[in-house]
Amino acid sequence: MTELQQLTVKQLSDALNKKELSSQEIVKSGFDYIKETEPTIDAFITLSEEKALAEAKKIDDSPRSELTPLAGIPIGIKDNIVTKDVLTTAASKMLYNFNPIYSATAVEKLESAGLVSMGKLNMDEFAMGSSTETSYFKKTKNAWDQTKVPGGSSGGSAASVAAGQVPASLGSDTGGSIRQPASFNGIVGMKPTYGRVSRYGLIAFSSSLDQIGPMTRTVEDNAMILNAISGHDAKDSTSSRRDTPDFTNLIGQDIKDMKIGVPKEFMGEGVHPDIRHAVKEAVKTFEALGATVDEVSLPNAVYGVEVYYIIASSEASSNLQRFDGIRYGYRSENISNLEDVYVNSRSEGFGSEVKRRIMLGTFSLSAGFYDAYFRKAGQVRTLIVNDFKKVFENYDLILGPVSPTVAFEFGAAQDDPITAYMRDILTIPVNLAGLPGMSVPGGFSEGLPIGIQLIGNHFDEEKMYQAAYAFEQATDFHKKQPVILGGKA
């Protein structure tokens, strides 16, 4: 990793404001490094070099006093976040040629802040997966070990940041898709409170669960990017009207007297011993920083996976009806009537995991099964929400692991989707409750990163950043850098 690629968002911002670097230097260096390392990492589906360099020149030509502190800093965008005039595929054959005529609100906010999009990042198809192996285009590799998966569905977003290709990226999180790949790649990933960031322009998977969030190498960087993308949006009916604070406000303040709960259900036998050990060490660190840490219980969290796959698949079966071979995207050439257009286009355009979830969701919503599955899942979801409410009556934050394992080998769960689904058991309850959750680097197991998960009450991101920063500064896990085989170290 070159010296320039090692700089954080904050460091780049300071250098730009002092005119020690230009945006064009940073962006050009970024593309040079991406081209060198991309054969190893495979994080990008589409690069926007010409557009990015033009934007960087425009920023350099403007008086710095008229720009935001983030102006001129590169960022990568997950390929399910719509970007005007830039190929946006959701990593699916179904959208292999889709060039949007508008941008997502989150992208517009980034552009307003002057961040420069370097391109669109690989992911699991339509965000359905936890390894980025379901992408139609390529398999992104883990930045620390290219024989291992980067996690998913925001695998490209995580690997690109960990590898130094970009200092920050946007991902989306439906059941852990920011936090799990952040954990696997040793970076910081924040899934904000549901409604904190507009979903307008996010290609929908599960509308009651999806949320866009930032992925960075440090906690402070993460808060800075969340500042840029948060806020009410009239184009998203689920967008919160709550005022958006400066998420860096509490960074650097001590966490003395903060109360943290560790759910006993998150530390069970299915969690690898090295990860349990990392969490216990994190508890000691927080206690040394002045926090009180106790064991708590989320008794209904164990049903989270079952509830999630009924609700998420049901919403997906509805959301993905729009991809029908008629208006845009892939259309089969093997047609003789209108029914063939629908059936063959969807059969050929969707991958196996997407088809599996559409069928599961359609079944759950069908007559005779709606009450037994979808309605029941909604009722258990309420129990999970109530469990969190009860804990947050007495505690500021919840602490635990992000994933039961570190990054696994490619193909490890290809023939066993149930095993793959269970890997999300520690992240899914957060989405079901609409809470903010984040992953911060917390250790290593056999050379692979371990993520520590912090969960906050609704709209408590400031407090989460405060605690995460204190932990980050008390440890050195975030300072370790992967060596990219075939690229620069």
Side-chain angles (χ1 to χ4, degrees), residues 135-201:
S135 170
Y136 171 69
F137 297 99
K138 56 173 67 175
K139 290 182 181 179
T140 299
K141 285 83 173 179
N142 189 290
W144 290 83
D145 181 347
Q146 285 80 63
T147 68
K148 303 292 194 296
V149 302
S153 61
S154 307
S157 298
S160 62
V161 171
Q165 293 180 327
V166 287
S169 66
L170 290 190
S172 68
D173 193 311
T174 308
S177 289
I178 287 174
R179 289 158 290 154
Q180 185 248 33
S183 172
F184 281 9
N185 285 274
I187 64 169
V188 180
M190 166 65 89
K191 179 253 163 208
T193 304
Y194 184 80
R196 173 70 85 184
V197 178
S198 172
R199 292 186 300 108
Y200 180 77

Coordinates of all heavy atoms in Angstrom, one line a residue, residues 135-201:
S135 N -22.4 -12.7 -7.0 CA -22.3 -11.7 -8.0 C -22.2 -12.4 -9.4 O -21.5 -13.4 -9.6 CB -21.0 -10.8 -7.8 OG -20.7 -10.0 -8.9
Y136 N -22.9 -11.8 -10.4 CA -22.9 -12.3 -11.7 C -21.5 -12.0 -12.4 O -21.1 -12.7 -13.3 CB -24.0 -11.6 -12.5 CG -23.9 -11.9 -14.0 CD1 -24.2 -13.2 -14.5 CD2 -23.6 -10.9 -14.9 CE1 -24.2 -13.4 -15.9 CE2 -23.6 -11.1 -16.3 CZ -23.9 -12.4 -16.8 OH -23.8 -12.6 -18.1
F137 N -20.8 -11.0 -11.9 CA -19.6 -10.5 -12.7 C -18.3 -11.1 -12.2 O -17.4 -11.4 -13.0 CB -19.6 -9.0 -12.6 CG -20.7 -8.3 -13.2 CD1 -21.8 -7.9 -12.4 CD2 -20.8 -8.1 -14.6 CE1 -22.9 -7.2 -13.0 CE2 -21.9 -7.5 -15.2 CZ -23.0 -7.1 -14.4
K138 N -18.1 -11.2 -10.9 CA -16.8 -11.6 -10.4 C -16.8 -12.0 -8.9 O -17.9 -11.7 -8.3 CB -15.7 -10.5 -10.6 CG -16.2 -9.1 -9.9 CD -15.1 -8.1 -9.9 CE -14.8 -7.6 -11.3 NZ -13.8 -6.5 -11.3
K139 N -15.8 -12.5 -8.4 CA -15.7 -12.8 -7.0 C -14.6 -11.9 -6.4 O -13.4 -12.1 -6.7 CB -15.3 -14.3 -6.8 CG -16.4 -15.3 -7.1 CD -16.0 -16.7 -6.9 CE -17.1 -17.7 -7.3 NZ -16.7 -19.1 -7.0
T140 N -15.0 -11.0 -5.5 CA -14.1 -10.2 -4.8 C -13.4 -11.0 -3.7 O -13.9 -11.9 -3.1 CB -14.9 -9.0 -4.1 OG1 -15.5 -8.3 -5.1 CG2 -13.9 -8.1 -3.3
K141 N -12.1 -10.7 -3.5 CA -11.3 -11.4 -2.6 C -11.1 -10.6 -1.3 O -11.1 -9.4 -1.3 CB -9.9 -11.7 -3.1 CG -9.9 -12.9 -4.2 CD -10.3 -12.4 -5.5 CE -10.1 -13.5 -6.6 NZ -10.5 -12.9 -7.9
N142 N -10.9 -11.3 -0.2 CA -10.6 -10.7 1.1 C -9.2 -10.0 1.0 O -8.3 -10.6 0.5 CB -10.6 -11.8 2.2 CG -10.5 -11.2 3.6 OD1 -9.5 -10.6 4.0 ND2 -11.6 -11.3 4.3
A143 N -9.2 -8.8 1.6 CA -7.9 -8.0 1.5 C -6.8 -8.7 2.3 O -5.6 -8.5 1.9 CB -8.2 -6.6 2.0
W144 N -7.1 -9.5 3.3 CA -6.1 -10.1 4.1 C -5.6 -11.4 3.6 O -4.5 -11.9 3.9 CB -6.6 -10.2 5.6 CG -6.7 -8.9 6.2 CD1 -7.8 -8.0 6.1 CD2 -5.8 -8.2 7.0 NE1 -7.6 -6.9 6.8 CE2 -6.3 -7.0 7.4 CE3 -4.5 -8.6 7.5 CZ2 -5.7 -6.1 8.3 CZ3 -3.8 -7.7 8.3 CH2 -4.4 -6.5 8.7
D145 N -6.5 -12.1 2.9 CA -6.1 -13.5 2.4 C -7.0 -13.7 1.2 O -8.2 -13.9 1.3 CB -6.4 -14.5 3.5 CG -6.0 -15.9 3.0 OD1 -5.9 -16.1 1.8 OD2 -6.0 -16.8 3.9
Q146 N -6.4 -13.7 0.0 CA -7.2 -13.8 -1.2 C -7.8 -15.2 -1.5 O -8.5 -15.4 -2.5 CB -6.4 -13.3 -2.4 CG -6.2 -11.8 -2.4 CD -5.1 -11.3 -1.5 OE1 -3.9 -11.6 -1.6 NE2 -5.5 -10.5 -0.5
T147 N -7.5 -16.1 -0.6 CA -8.2 -17.4 -0.7 C -9.5 -17.4 0.1 O -10.3 -18.4 0.0 CB -7.3 -18.6 -0.2 OG1 -7.1 -18.4 1.2 CG2 -6.0 -18.6 -0.9
K148 N -9.8 -16.3 0.8 CA -11.0 -16.2 1.6 C -12.0 -15.2 1.0 O -11.6 -14.3 0.3 CB -10.6 -15.8 3.0 CG -9.6 -16.7 3.7 CD -10.2 -18.0 4.1 CE -9.3 -18.8 5.1 NZ -8.0 -19.2 4.5
V149 N -13.2 -15.3 1.4 CA -14.3 -14.4 0.9 C -14.1 -13.1 1.7 O -13.6 -13.0 2.8 CB -15.7 -15.0 1.2 CG1 -15.9 -16.3 0.4 CG2 -16.0 -15.1 2.6
P150 N -14.6 -12.0 1.1 CA -14.6 -10.7 1.8 C -15.8 -10.5 2.6 O -15.9 -9.4 3.3 CB -14.6 -9.7 0.6 CG -15.4 -10.4 -0.5 CD -15.1 -11.9 -0.3
G151 N -16.7 -11.4 2.7 CA -18.0 -11.2 3.3 C -19.0 -10.6 2.3 O -18.7 -10.3 1.2
G152 N -20.2 -10.4 2.8 CA -21.2 -9.8 1.9 C -22.4 -9.3 2.7 O -22.5 -9.4 3.9
S153 N -23.3 -8.6 2.0 CA -23.2 -8.5 0.5 C -22.3 -7.3 0.1 O -21.9 -7.2 -1.1 CB -24.6 -8.2 0.0 OG -25.2 -7.0 0.5
S154 N -21.8 -6.5 1.0 CA -21.0 -5.3 0.7 C -19.5 -5.7 0.6 O -18.7 -5.0 1.2 CB -21.2 -4.2 1.7 OG -22.6 -3.8 1.8
G155 N -19.2 -6.9 0.0 CA -17.8 -7.4 0.0 C -16.9 -6.5 -0.7 O -15.8 -6.2 -0.3
G156 N -17.3 -5.9 -1.9 CA -16.5 -5.0 -2.6 C -16.2 -3.7 -1.9 O -15.1 -3.2 -1.9
S157 N -17.2 -3.2 -1.2 CA -17.1 -2.0 -0.4 C -16.1 -2.2 0.7 O -15.3 -1.3 1.0 CB -18.4 -1.6 0.2 OG -19.4 -1.3 -0.9
A158 N -16.1 -3.3 1.3 CA -15.2 -3.6 2.5 C -13.7 -3.8 2.0 O -12.8 -3.3 2.5 CB -15.7 -4.8 3.3
A159 N -13.6 -4.7 1.0 CA -12.3 -5.1 0.5 C -11.5 -3.9 -0.1 O -10.3 -3.7 0.1 CB -12.4 -6.2 -0.5
S160 N -12.3 -3.0 -0.8 CA -11.6 -1.9 -1.5 C -11.1 -0.9 -0.4 O -10.0 -0.3 -0.6 CB -12.6 -1.1 -2.3 OG -13.7 -0.6 -1.6
V161 N -11.8 -0.7 0.7 CA -11.3 0.1 1.8 C -10.1 -0.5 2.5 O -9.0 0.1 2.7 CB -12.4 0.5 2.8 CG1 -11.8 1.2 4.0 CG2 -13.5 1.3 2.1
A162 N -10.2 -1.8 2.8 CA -9.1 -2.5 3.6 C -7.9 -2.6 2.7 O -6.8 -2.5 3.2 CB -9.6 -3.9 3.9
A163 N -8.0 -2.7 1.4 CA -6.9 -2.8 0.5 C -6.3 -1.4 0.2 O -5.2 -1.4 -0.5 CB -7.3 -3.5 -0.8
G164 N -6.9 -0.3 0.6 CA -6.4 1.0 0.3 C -6.8 1.6 -1.0 O -6.2 2.6 -1.4
Q165 N -7.7 0.9 -1.7 CA -8.1 1.4 -3.1 C -8.9 2.7 -2.9 O -8.7 3.6 -3.8 CB -8.9 0.4 -3.8 CG -8.1 -0.9 -4.2 CD -9.0 -1.9 -4.9 OE1 -10.2 -2.0 -4.6 NE2 -8.4 -2.6 -5.8
V166 N -9.7 2.8 -1.9 CA -10.4 4.0 -1.6 C -10.3 4.2 0.0 O -10.3 3.2 0.7 CB -11.9 4.0 -2.0 CG1 -12.0 4.2 -3.5 CG2 -12.6 2.7 -1.6
P167 N -10.4 5.5 0.5 CA -10.3 5.6 1.9 C -11.7 5.4 2.6 O -11.8 5.3 3.8 CB -9.9 7.1 2.1 CG -10.3 7.8 0.8 CD -10.2 6.7 -0.3
A168 N -12.8 5.4 1.8 CA -14.1 5.2 2.3 C -15.0 4.6 1.2 O -14.7 4.8 0.0 CB -14.7 6.5 2.8
S169 N -16.1 4.0 1.6 CA -17.1 3.5 0.7 C -18.5 3.5 1.3 O -18.6 3.6 2.5 CB -16.7 2.1 0.2 OG -16.8 1.2 1.3
L170 N -19.5 3.4 0.5 CA -20.8 3.2 0.9 C -21.2 1.7 0.7 O -20.9 1.1 -0.3 CB -21.8 4.1 0.2 CG -21.8 5.6 0.5 CD1 -23.0 6.2 -0.2 CD2 -21.8 5.9 2.0
G171 N -21.9 1.1 1.7 CA -22.4 -0.2 1.6 C -23.9 -0.1 1.9 O -24.4 1.0 2.2
S172 N -24.6 -1.2 1.9 CA -26.0 -1.3 2.4 C -26.1 -2.5 3.3 O -25.3 -3.5 3.1 CB -27.0 -1.4 1.3 OG -26.9 -2.6 0.6
D173 N -26.9 -2.4 4.3 CA -27.0 -3.5 5.3 C -28.5 -3.9 5.5 O -29.3 -3.0 5.9 CB -26.4 -2.9 6.6 CG -26.2 -4.0 7.7 OD1 -27.1 -4.8 7.9 OD2 -25.1 -4.0 8.3
T174 N -28.8 -5.1 5.2 CA -30.2 -5.6 5.3 C -30.3 -6.6 6.5 O -31.3 -6.7 7.2 CB -30.7 -6.3 4.0 OG1 -30.5 -5.4 2.9 CG2 -32.1 -6.7 4.1
G175 N -29.2 -7.4 6.7 CA -29.1 -8.3 7.8 C -27.7 -8.5 8.3 O -27.4 -9.4 9.0
G176 N -26.8 -7.5 8.0 CA -25.4 -7.5 8.5 C -24.5 -7.2 7.3 O -23.3 -7.4 7.5
S177 N -25.0 -6.8 6.2 CA -24.2 -6.7 5.0 C -23.1 -5.6 5.0 O -22.4 -5.5 4.0 CB -25.1 -6.6 3.8 OG -25.7 -7.8 3.5
I178 N -23.1 -4.7 6.0 CA -22.0 -3.7 6.2 C -21.1 -4.3 7.3 O -19.9 -4.3 7.1 CB -22.6 -2.3 6.6 CG1 -23.2 -1.6 5.3 CG2 -21.4 -1.5 7.2 CD1 -23.8 -0.3 5.7
R179 N -21.7 -4.7 8.4 CA -20.9 -5.1 9.5 C -20.1 -6.4 9.3 O -18.9 -6.4 9.7 CB -21.8 -5.3 10.7 CG -22.4 -3.9 11.3 CD -23.7 -4.1 12.1 NE -24.8 -4.5 11.2 CZ -25.8 -5.2 11.6 NH1 -25.9 -5.6 12.9 NH2 -26.8 -5.5 10.8
Q180 N -20.7 -7.4 8.7 CA -20.0 -8.7 8.5 C -18.7 -8.5 7.6 O -17.6 -8.9 7.9 CB -20.9 -9.8 8.0 CG -20.3 -11.1 7.9 CD -20.2 -11.6 6.5 OE1 -20.0 -10.8 5.6 NE2 -20.3 -12.9 6.3
P181 N -18.9 -7.9 6.4 CA -17.7 -7.7 5.6 C -16.7 -6.7 6.2 O -15.5 -6.9 6.0 CB -18.2 -7.2 4.2 CG -19.6 -6.7 4.5 CD -20.1 -7.5 5.7
A182 N -17.1 -5.8 7.0 CA -16.2 -4.9 7.7 C -15.4 -5.7 8.7 O -14.2 -5.5 8.8 CB -17.0 -3.8 8.4
S183 N -16.1 -6.6 9.4 CA -15.4 -7.5 10.3 C -14.4 -8.4 9.6 O -13.2 -8.5 10.1 CB -16.4 -8.4 11.0 OG -15.8 -9.4 11.8
F184 N -14.8 -9.0 8.5 CA -13.9 -9.9 7.8 C -12.7 -9.2 7.2 O -11.6 -9.8 7.0 CB -14.7 -10.6 6.6 CG -15.6 -11.7 7.0 CD1 -15.8 -12.0 8.4 CD2 -16.2 -12.5 6.1 CE1 -16.6 -13.0 8.8 CE2 -17.0 -13.5 6.4 CZ -17.2 -13.8 7.8
N185 N -12.8 -7.9 7.0 CA -11.7 -7.1 6.4 C -11.0 -6.2 7.3 O -10.1 -5.4 6.9 CB -12.2 -6.4 5.1 CG -12.4 -7.2 3.9 OD1 -11.5 -7.5 3.2 ND2 -13.7 -7.7 3.8
G186 N -11.4 -6.2 8.6 CA -10.7 -5.4 9.6 C -10.8 -3.9 9.5 O -9.9 -3.1 9.7
I187 N -12.0 -3.5 9.1 CA -12.3 -2.0 9.0 C -13.5 -1.7 9.8 O -14.1 -2.5 10.5 CB -12.5 -1.6 7.5 CG1 -13.8 -2.3 6.9 CG2 -11.3 -1.9 6.7 CD1 -14.2 -1.7 5.6
V188 N -13.9 -0.4 9.8 CA -15.1 0.1 10.6 C -16.3 0.2 9.6 O -16.2 0.7 8.5 CB -14.8 1.5 11.2 CG1 -16.0 2.0 11.9 CG2 -13.6 1.4 12.1
G189 N -17.4 -0.4 10.0 CA -18.6 -0.4 9.2 C -19.8 0.0 10.1 O -20.0 -0.7 11.1
M190 N -20.6 1.0 9.7 CA -21.7 1.4 10.4 C -23.0 1.2 9.7 O -23.2 1.6 8.5 CB -21.6 2.9 10.8 CG -22.9 3.6 11.3 SD -23.5 3.0 12.9 CE -22.6 4.1 14.0
K191 N -23.9 0.5 10.3 CA -25.3 0.4 9.8 C -26.1 1.4 10.7 O -26.4 1.1 11.8 CB -25.8 -1.0 10.0 CG -27.3 -1.2 9.5 CD -28.2 -1.4 10.7 CE -29.6 -1.2 10.3 NZ -30.5 -0.6 11.3
P192 N -26.5 2.5 10.1 CA -27.2 3.5 10.9 C -28.6 3.1 11.3 O -29.2 2.1 10.8 CB -27.3 4.7 10.0 CG -26.3 4.4 8.9 CD -26.3 3.0 8.8
T193 N -29.2 3.8 12.2 CA -30.6 3.6 12.6 C -31.5 3.6 11.3 O -31.3 4.5 10.4 CB -31.1 4.7 13.5 OG1 -30.3 4.8 14.7 CG2 -32.6 4.5 14.0
Y194 N -32.5 2.8 11.3 CA -33.4 2.7 10.1 C -34.1 4.1 10.0 O -34.7 4.6 10.9 CB -34.4 1.6 10.3 CG -35.4 1.5 9.1 CD1 -35.0 0.8 8.0 CD2 -36.6 2.1 9.1 CE1 -35.8 0.7 6.9 CE2 -37.5 1.9 8.0 CZ -37.1 1.2 6.9 OH -37.9 1.1 5.8
G195 N -33.9 4.7 8.8 CA -34.5 6.1 8.6 C -33.5 7.2 8.7 O -33.8 8.3 8.4
R196 N -32.3 6.9 9.2 CA -31.3 7.9 9.4 C -30.7 8.4 8.0 O -30.5 9.6 7.8 CB -30.1 7.4 10.3 CG -28.9 8.3 10.4 CD -29.2 9.5 11.2 NE -29.1 9.3 12.7 CZ -29.4 10.2 13.6 NH1 -29.9 11.4 13.2 NH2 -29.3 10.0 14.9
V197 N -30.6 7.4 7.1 CA -30.1 7.7 5.8 C -31.2 7.4 4.8 O -31.8 6.3 4.9 CB -28.8 6.9 5.5 CG1 -28.3 7.2 4.1 CG2 -27.7 7.3 6.5
S198 N -31.4 8.2 3.8 CA -32.5 8.0 2.8 C -32.2 6.7 2.0 O -31.1 6.4 1.6 CB -32.6 9.2 1.9 OG -33.4 8.9 0.8
R199 N -33.3 5.9 1.8 CA -33.2 4.8 0.9 C -33.6 5.1 -0.5 O -33.5 4.2 -1.4 CB -34.1 3.7 1.5 CG -33.7 3.1 2.8 CD -34.5 1.9 3.2 NE -35.9 2.2 3.3 CZ -36.9 1.9 2.5 NH1 -36.6 1.2 1.4 NH2 -38.1 2.3 2.7
Y200 N -33.9 6.3 -0.8 CA -34.3 6.7 -2.2 C -33.1 6.4 -3.1 O -32.0 7.0 -2.9 CB -34.7 8.1 -2.3 CG -35.1 8.6 -3.7 CD1 -36.3 8.2 -4.2 CD2 -34.3 9.3 -4.4 CE1 -36.7 8.6 -5.5 CE2 -34.6 9.7 -5.7 CZ -35.9 9.4 -6.2 OH -36.2 9.7 -7.5
G201 N -33.3 5.6 -4.1 CA -32.2 5.3 -5.0 C -31.4 4.0 -4.7 O -30.5 3.6 -5.4

